[in-house]
Structure formats: structure tokens, C-alpha cells
Amino acid sequence: MNPADWPLPLFVVWLIMYAVIIFRAGGTYLLGRLARRGVSRIQRVERIMQSGRYQHAEQLLRRYGAAAVAVSFLLIGVQTVVNLAAGSIGMSLRRYLPALGIGGAVWALIYSTVGLVGLSAVATAYRENPAVTLGLSAVFVAAIVGLTIGLRRAESEPEPEPEA
């Protein structure tokens, strides 16, 4: 389901992808707004809002504001929590909508042109040489797991107190 393979003009593919991200991210923002009014009692929403990733997203939004929303569209696995946090902390629509518009436009451009080409490249590499592809994938996964563990350990270590 690579949008680059759709038999439509690029602009139409971009518009479709743009609509997808506007509705998805805007809906997540709306869910965050509703969470402020009690939807957070829903167990799944509450679990998301108590996660470390969500708490980090709130900190980013408080520090960088709407710019964090726009940049979140360039990062995999961050968009949802950032948009949810933007809604739950009460970011005004006047600030949120321009960030959503710009970030969503860039996201749609990436995914309508080259975003899913990587998946095709991995599939082609696997067809040509499965052993090398699986080996490189394992190394990549191990590096990500190691980085994640290292970052979590660094976050959990107490900071030394300054000397007087």
C-alpha cells in the first residue's frame, strides 16, 4: 500500500495523505481536550497519559509549544502522544492549528513521495539476499534496544548534588 504506487497525480495523493493526518492528529488532539474533562477515566486513555512517553511529550510542549507539534510529524512514534498532550494541556486552537497544518503538510509530502520507499527497499533486499537482510535487521534492532536501555538507565540515575 505504497502511496507512490497509486495511479493518481502526486498532488491528489498528497491531498489524501494530508486529510488522513489532519483527521488523525486533530482527532487525537480532541481526545486530549476531552481527557481534561474526564475521558481520562477510560482505562486505555489513562494508561497512555501515565506513560513516560506521554509525560515527556507534555514537558516538550510546555517548553517549546506549537513548534513541538510541528516537529513531531517528522518523528516516528511521537505524533500521537504529542497531539494528545497538546489537547490535554489545553493548547489553544490558535496555536495548535498552524502547527498541525505545517507539520501535517510536511508529513503528507514525505509519505506521498518517499515515505514508504524504504519498505519496498527492504522487501527487495530480502528477495535478493535474505540472510544479509535478516542479519542487518537484527543488528539494527539490537542497536535500538541497546540505545533505549542506555537512555532509560541514564534517566533513572539520580543526578549528583552540587557541592557547596
Side-chain angles (χ1 to χ4, degrees):
M1 178 96 185
N2 186 347
D5 295 337
W6 293 354
L8 299 168
L10 178 61
F11 182 71
V12 174
V13 173
W14 179 86
L15 277 175
I16 292 167
M17 299 303 283
Y18 190 60
V20 165
I21 198 63
I22 293 297
F23 284 110
R24 192 184 101 204
T28 305
Y29 170 84
L30 180 60
L31 182 63
R33 293 294 286 226
L34 293 171
R36 289 185 59 184
R37 296 192 176 115
V39 175
S40 62
R41 292 185 191 121
I42 296 172
Q43 192 172 17
R44 183 170 182 184
V45 175
E46 183 179 351
R47 196 169 51 244
I48 291 170
M49 293 177 77
Q50 291 176 355
S51 72
R53 182 178 281 178
Y54 175 84
Q55 297 299 320
H56 184 69
E58 268 197 11
Q59 290 171 357
L60 286 173
L61 285 166
R62 292 185 195 287
R63 184 170 184 182
Y64 298 108
V69 174
V71 171
S72 75
F73 290 97
L74 302 176
L75 306 171
I76 296 171
V78 176
Q79 299 170 19
T80 302
V81 293
V82 169
N83 284 282
L84 183 68
S88 70
I89 68 170
M91 180 180 283
S92 70
L93 283 173
R94 195 178 97 237
R95 294 180 68 220
Y96 176 76
L97 289 177
L100 172 63
I102 292 167
V106 172
W107 181 91
L109 179 64
I110 291 169
Y111 276 87
S112 63
T113 56
V114 298
L116 298 174
V117 170
L119 184 60
S120 298
V122 170
T124 301
Y126 182 78
R127 278 193 302 274
E128 296 297 321
N129 198 335
V132 170
T133 305
L134 290 174
L136 288 174
S137 297
V139 168
F140 180 73
V141 168
I144 296 297
V145 168
L147 179 64
T148 302
I149 291 170
L151 289 173
R152 286 194 178 162
R153 282 186 184 158
E155 285 178 358
S156 66
E157 291 177 3
E159 291 185 26
E161 293 185 25
E163 295 181 25

